[in-house]
C-alpha cells in the first residue's frame, strides 16, 4: 500500500480485495480511484487501478462482434457456494474431472490443449453447490492473455497433476512462473487456516492469492501416488495439501467434495416465512463470518435493502432469537427475515 493514503482509500482497497464478483470489483476500483490522493507517490498505483478498470469494463462488456476478442466469455460470473478454478499442465485430466464432477461434457481428449475457453459447471456436495471452472492448460507454448482476469473471481484452485507422467514437475514449475508473472499466486493456506492476506507480509492488492489443493489425478494408473507427491514436494518446495483421485474410476471424488466445503468454510442457511415450516431442501450458502445481511442479499436485493432484523433457530442461538443484520450466521441456521 502506498504511503499517506486516506482511510477511505484503505477501506475501498480492503473491499476490493474481498470482492469476488467482477461488477462489485469494478465498483471498488472506481471508489479506490476516487479516494486515492493524487500525487507523485501514488502515480504507479493509479496507473494500475486504471488498467484494471479498463480490463474489467471490457470483460464485463463481453466479446466484441467481429473484434479481436470475439469468442466465448473468458470470465465466469460466480455462482453457488464458491468458485473453484481447475488449473494444471496439459492432459492432466482437468476436463475429465470437470465432466465427471459437474456433468458438463467438457471436452476431455487424449491430445493436449483440447480446452480453449473457461467452462463453468456446478458440483453438488450434499445440498451445497460448488462452481467448478474448467480452464485451458497453462503452459509456455500456449500463453493465455486473459488467464489472470479469468482467475479473479475464483475462491480457490485445484492444481490437477498427473505426477506419474514424465515432465509434470517441470510443467508445474512453468505454470507457477507464468501465473506469477500475471500476479496470480498459488498458496497452501485455506480459509479454515485464517485470513490469507493477513499471512502475507505485504499483500499486493492487485494480486490474486488462490488457496490451492494439489489433486493427483489418474491414481488408477499409479496407486503409489504418495511417493510421487513426496518427490514433487522435495523438488519444487511446494507443500500444498493434496488428495489422490481418478476421473476414470471416481476414486477420491467424494472426499474431494467434503474436503472443499470444509476448508472453504461453507455455511448453509435455510429461510422460513413467519408461521410456516422452513424449506430444508435448498439452503442459501455463505462463508463463515458472513452475516444475516449477506444472506438477505442472496434472497433478494429488496429484502437486503429493507431488512430490519431476523429471527434465528440454530446451534448458536435460542429458538426464535431476534438478531440484527450484522449477526454472523452458523451452519444449519434457520432464518426468518423481517423488513
Ligand atoms: N487412466 C486415466 N486417464 C485419465 C484420467 N483422467 C483423464 N484421463 C485421460 O487423460 C487424457 C487427457 O484428459 P483431459 O481431461 O482432456 O485433460 P485436460 O487437463 O483437460 O487437458 P487439455 O485441456 O487438453 O490441456 C484423456 O485421454 C483422458 O481420457 C484418469 O483419472 N485416469
Ligand atoms: Mg481440458
Amino acid at each position: 500500500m502506498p504511503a499517506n493514503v486516506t482511510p477511505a482509500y484503505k477501506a475501498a482497497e480492503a473491499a476490493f480485495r474481498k470482492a469476488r464478483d467482477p461488477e462489485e470489483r469494478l465498483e471498488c476500483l472506481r471508489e479506490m480511484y476516487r479516494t486515492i490522493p493524487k500525487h507523485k507517490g501514488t502515480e504507479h498505483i493509479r496507473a494500475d487501478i486504471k488498467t484494471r478498470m479498463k480490463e474489467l469494463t471490457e470483460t464485463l462488456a463481453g466479446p466484441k462482434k467481429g473484434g479481436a476478442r470475439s469468442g466465448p466469455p473468458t470470465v465466469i460470473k460466480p455462482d453457488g457456494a464458491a468458485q473453484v478454478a481447475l488449473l494444471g499442465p496439459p492432459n492432466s485430466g482437468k476436463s475429465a474431472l470437470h465432466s465427471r464432477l459437474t456433468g458438463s461434457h467438457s471436452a476431455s481428449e487424449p491430445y493436449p490443449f483440447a480446452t480453449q475457453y473457461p467452462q463453468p459447471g456446478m458440483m453438488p456436495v450434499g445440498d451445497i453447490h460448488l462452481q467448478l471452472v474448467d480452464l485451458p492448460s497453462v503452459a509456455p507454448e500456449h500463453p493465455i492473455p486473459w488467464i489472470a482476469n479469468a482467475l479473479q473471481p475464483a475462491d480457490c484452485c485445484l492444481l490437477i497433476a498427473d505426477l506419474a507422467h514424465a515432465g509434470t514437475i517441470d510443467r508445474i514449475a512453468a505454470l507457477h512462473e507464468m501465473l506469477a508473472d500475471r500476479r496470480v499466486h498459488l498458496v497452501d493456506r485455506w480459509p479454515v487456516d485464517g485470513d490469507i492476506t493477513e499471512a502475507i507480509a505485504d499483500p499486493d492488492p492487485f494480486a490474486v492469492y488462490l488457496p490451492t489443493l494439489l489433486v493427483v489425478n489418474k491414481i488408477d494408473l499409479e496407486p503409489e501416488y504418495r511417493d510421487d507427491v513426496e518427490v514433487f514436494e522435495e523438488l519444487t518446495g511446494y507443500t500444498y495439501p493434496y488428495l489422490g483421485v481418478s476421473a476414470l474410476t471416481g476414486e477420491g471424488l467424494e472426499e474431494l467434495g467434503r474436503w472443499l466445503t470444509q476448508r472453504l468454510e461453507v455455511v448453509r442457511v435455510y429461510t422460513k416465512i413467519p408461521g410456516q415450516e422452513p424449506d430444508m431442501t435448498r439452503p442459501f450458502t455463505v462463508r463463515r463470518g458472513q452475516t444475516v445481511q449477506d444472506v438477505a442479499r442472496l434472497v433478494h436485493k429488496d429484502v437486503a435493502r429493507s431488512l430490519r432484523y431476523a429471527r434465528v433457530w440454530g446451534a448458536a442461538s435460542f429458538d426464535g432469537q431476534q438478531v440484527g443484520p450484522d449477526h454472523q450466521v452458523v451452519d444449519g441456521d434457520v432464518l426468518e427475515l423481517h423488513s
Side-chain angles (χ1 to χ4, degrees), residues 307-329:
L307 180 72
R308 284 191 301 133
Y309 68 94
R311 289 191 187 286
V312 191
W313 287 257
S317 34
F318 58 82
D319 280 357
Q321 186 177 342
Q322 184 171 326
V323 296
D326 293 335
H327 176 80
Q328 290 188 3
V329 290

Side-chain angles (χ1 to χ4, degrees), residues 87-99 106-116 134-138 142 160 162 216-221 245-250:
L87 285 172
N91 254 346
S92 54
K94 295 177 291 302
S95 299
L97 279 167
H98 191 268
S99 184
S106 201
S108 169
E109 306 286 354
Y111 51 84
F113 305 113
T115 308
Q116 289 294 321
D134 190 15
L135 290 164
S137 293
V138 175
H142 190 258
I160 317 288
D162 172 4
V216 184
N217 189 29
K218 309 194 188 183
I219 61 167
D220 53 289
L221 300 175
V245 304
S246 166
L248 189 69
T249 66

Side-chain angles (χ1 to χ4, degrees), residues 164-246:
H165 189 266
T168 291
I169 289 182
D170 290 343
R171 282 196 161 280
I172 289 182
L175 172 148
H176 277 81
E177 251 172 61
M178 288 181 72
L179 291 178
D181 281 349
R182 311 293 312 277
R183 293 152 102 172
V184 176
H185 307 285
L186 309 191
V187 296
D188 56 13
R189 221 177 137 90
W190 282 71
V192 74
D193 307 318
D195 191 320
I196 289 149
T197 48
E198 263 168 32
I200 298 162
D202 187 17
D204 169 359
F206 299 111
V208 175
Y209 299 96
L210 289 177
T212 299
L213 173 68
L214 174 66
V215 176
V216 184
N217 189 29
K218 309 194 188 183
I219 61 167
D220 53 289
L221 300 175
E222 178 54 291
E224 302 304 319
Y225 67 93
R226 285 189 178 80
D227 299 342
D228 297 336
V229 174
E230 230 168 79
V231 174
F232 168 82
E233 288 180 349
E234 218 152 274
L235 291 179
T236 62
Y238 302 131
T239 51
Y240 301 118
Y242 71 91
L243 285 179
V245 304
S246 166

